[in-house]
Amino acid sequence: MNHGARLALLGLGLLLSACQVGPDYQLPKDAALQRPDLQGELAGKGANVVSAPVPGDWWRLYRDPRLDQLVQQALASSTDLRVAAANLARARAQVDEAQAAGGWGGGVKAGVERLQESGEAFLLPEKVPVANVGNLSISTSYQFDLFGTLQRGIEAAKANADATQAAADIARITLVADVVRAYTQVCAANEEREIAEHSLDLQAQSTELTQRLRDAGRGDETQVTRSQTQFKSLRAELPRYEAARQSGLFRLSMLLARPVDQLPAGTASCAELPHIAQLLPVGDGAALLKRRPDVRQAERHLAAATAQIGVATGALYPDISIGATIGTVGILDNLGKASTNRWGFGPVISWTVPANGARERIHEAEATSQAALAHFDGVVLNAIRETQTGLAQYSAQLQRRDALADAEQSAQVAADQTHRFFQAGRASFLADLQATRTYTDMRAQLAAANTQVAMSQIDLFLALGGGWESGRTQAPPATKP
């Protein structure tokens, strides 16, 4: 091949390198993410939240140093995050592998053998002598990505790596929510058990008084039996609180990958629920969809599926490369001499006739892309639904908590009044105990309602998708809701 032909081939390769098979990825105009009705205010948002940006470290809104310590230890040692980090490293290696495909390549080949060659292979009637034959060659080649097949592969690998990063972000926010939820469970179990033990003590006093009244002829056995039954019923509830406490501690132990006795000091004895003393920041729909990593993951899967259409289409076209080889082949003693040296230079075209399902694989990739788009739309709609549901549940739990707080205050007033009447001789001791027990029951219901509010807050923050950002933001100053 003369110099002009080589330049022409090189020019043709550079010209065709700008071509890329398959569709260029862009976010579809009819994707759910583009819908204006999903970008504005979140439906169901009430007076208990505010349209402020969701902080990255949302758990710092609780202003609980022990909780902060638990979260940081979990982020440093979680097995789920270790798995996510390994998956991300593998995805990035796949990007490097895709980028290394094509372009320049080379190799070295060397060999020595005792060889009896066929005479007829050289059109000789006589036998060729046995000899020690050596072979040494160096080759290099450059594969042109004439149709952009390799570039589409790089695009798919990068999109998959981005999706894997989003999966790691999902693992992080799920871990944080699990830590806050388990810690809240421990605190709630301790608080509710303390109230239950107080109620049990009051019931024991009521049972004792009922027995004394029966013995004095001022009561009957039925009243004693009912009182004893109530005492036994309350006592039967105590193991439930201890089980909930232990369950929360074991959950924290697993999330932090350390024994229960090595959890931060005071974790097991926490008896006050984590509390956010401000309106919850929730942002709007546009910010939500940009922040949620599962939305980003689904969008990146769509980009990867689109790029795979180009990869499948590229299989219809030939592979073109240009290479050179230099070496020496011959009897061992003559290697390197002019009679054994060889070299070569020229283009190589390799093309497999598009058959055996090549075009069907393109249709398969197109269908996969359509499925990825449908999944992407579903993730977007689910993100809005989860947040709206979380807002509605949080609002309902707050209303219920506030109603129970009013009832608890009324029960406290009634208990105080009855106790003053008892001290003045205007009410019986049994009535005083009954009023106090009613107040204690309301305290128990209010404590359970506060736990449900706290859990609803965690669910809402999880739905909002915050907590994965690398840039940390500090919690804003606390304001009373």
Side-chain angles (χ1 to χ4, degrees), residues 158-437:
K158 287 183 176 179
N160 280 325
D162 292 341
T164 305
Q165 176 66 70
D169 296 338
I170 294 173
R172 187 176 190 272
I173 65 175
T174 302
L175 170 68
V176 171
D178 284 347
V179 170
V180 179
R181 187 179 289 111
Y183 177 65
T184 300
Q185 179 178 333
V186 172
C187 298
N190 286 333
E191 181 181 13
E192 292 180 29
R193 182 181 62 183
E194 180 181 352
I195 296 174
E197 288 175 345
H198 185 205
S199 181
L200 184 65
D201 290 340
L202 291 176
Q203 184 62 41
Q205 295 179 42
S206 177
T207 300
E208 182 181 358
L209 176 60
T210 304
Q211 290 173 338
R212 289 203 304 265
L213 291 174
R214 178 203 58 189
D215 295 341
R218 298 173 56 190
D220 56 38
E221 191 65 30
T222 301
Q223 294 175 332
V224 174
T225 302
R226 283 201 301 262
S227 183
Q228 290 175 338
T229 300
Q230 181 68 16
F231 175 83
K232 294 176 182 179
S233 176
L234 292 173
R235 185 176 59 185
E237 290 294 311
L238 293 181
R240 177 169 64 88
Y241 301 115
E242 180 61 21
R245 172 180 173 275
Q246 291 293 334
S247 176
L249 290 174
F250 292 147
R251 181 68 175 165
L252 286 174
S253 173
M254 185 274 292
L255 294 172
L256 273 65
R258 61 181 59 198
V260 171
D261 58 6
Q262 293 183 17
L263 295 176
T267 299
S269 59
C270 166
E272 183 178 353
L273 284 175
H275 176 64
I276 297 178
Q278 67 173 74
L279 299 178
L280 298 192
V282 298
D284 57 20
L288 169 70
L289 296 177
K290 290 179 181 178
R291 185 174 54 249
R292 291 241 329 192
D294 58 338
V295 172
R296 177 160 37 92
Q297 180 188 39
E299 187 274 334
R300 290 290 81 199
H301 280 154
L302 174 59
T306 303
Q308 287 296 340
I309 298 175
V311 174
T313 305
L316 301 178
Y317 298 91
D319 294 329
I320 299 178
S321 61
I322 187 169
T325 302
I326 183 172
T328 177
V329 180
I331 297 175
L332 207 56
D333 294 338
N334 296 332
L335 289 184
K337 296 180 181 180
S339 60
T340 62
N341 292 341
R342 61 190 295 270
W343 63 270
F345 172 81
V348 176
I349 299 178
S350 175
W351 184 49
T352 301
V353 177
N356 299 324
R359 296 187 183 277
E360 287 71 17
R361 282 188 286 274
I362 298 176
H363 298 322
E364 178 183 345
E366 291 172 343
T368 300
S369 176
Q370 291 299 315
L373 174 58
H375 176 71
F376 177 37
D377 287 344
V379 171
V380 169
L381 296 174
N382 184 65
I384 298 295
R385 179 199 62 81
E386 282 186 351
T387 306
Q388 291 174 338
T389 300
L391 285 167
Q393 290 180 344
Y394 177 59
S395 178
Q397 294 293 352
L398 280 178
Q399 293 176 18
R400 180 174 182 271
R401 192 272 311 271
D402 292 343
L404 286 173
D406 288 341
E408 187 257 358
Q409 291 179 357
S410 297
Q412 183 179 15
V413 171
D416 292 341
Q417 290 175 343
T418 305
H419 185 66
R420 287 196 299 270
F421 290 159
F422 167 71
Q423 291 177 327
R426 298 171 55 191
S428 67
F429 180 58
L430 188 58
D432 185 25
L433 279 178
Q434 182 63 39
T436 304
R437 188 173 63 191

Side-chain angles (χ1 to χ4, degrees), residues 104-180:
W104 288 105
V108 176
K109 180 179 181 182
V112 177
E113 59 182 336
R114 182 75 174 169
L115 181 63
Q116 168 66 71
E117 189 58 88
S118 166
E120 291 192 358
F122 298 95
L123 302 180
L124 298 176
E126 64 272 11
K127 178 181 178 182
V128 177
V130 177
N132 295 322
V133 177
N135 179 11
L136 175 64
S137 64
I138 300 175
S139 63
T140 184
S141 65
Y142 183 88
Q143 181 179 357
F144 295 102
D145 189 18
L146 299 183
F147 306 102
T149 306
L150 299 179
Q151 182 59 37
R152 293 303 191 197
I154 294 173
E155 292 174 7
K158 287 183 176 179
N160 280 325
D162 292 341
T164 305
Q165 176 66 70
D169 296 338
I170 294 173
R172 187 176 190 272
I173 65 175
T174 302
L175 170 68
V176 171
D178 284 347
V179 170
V180 179

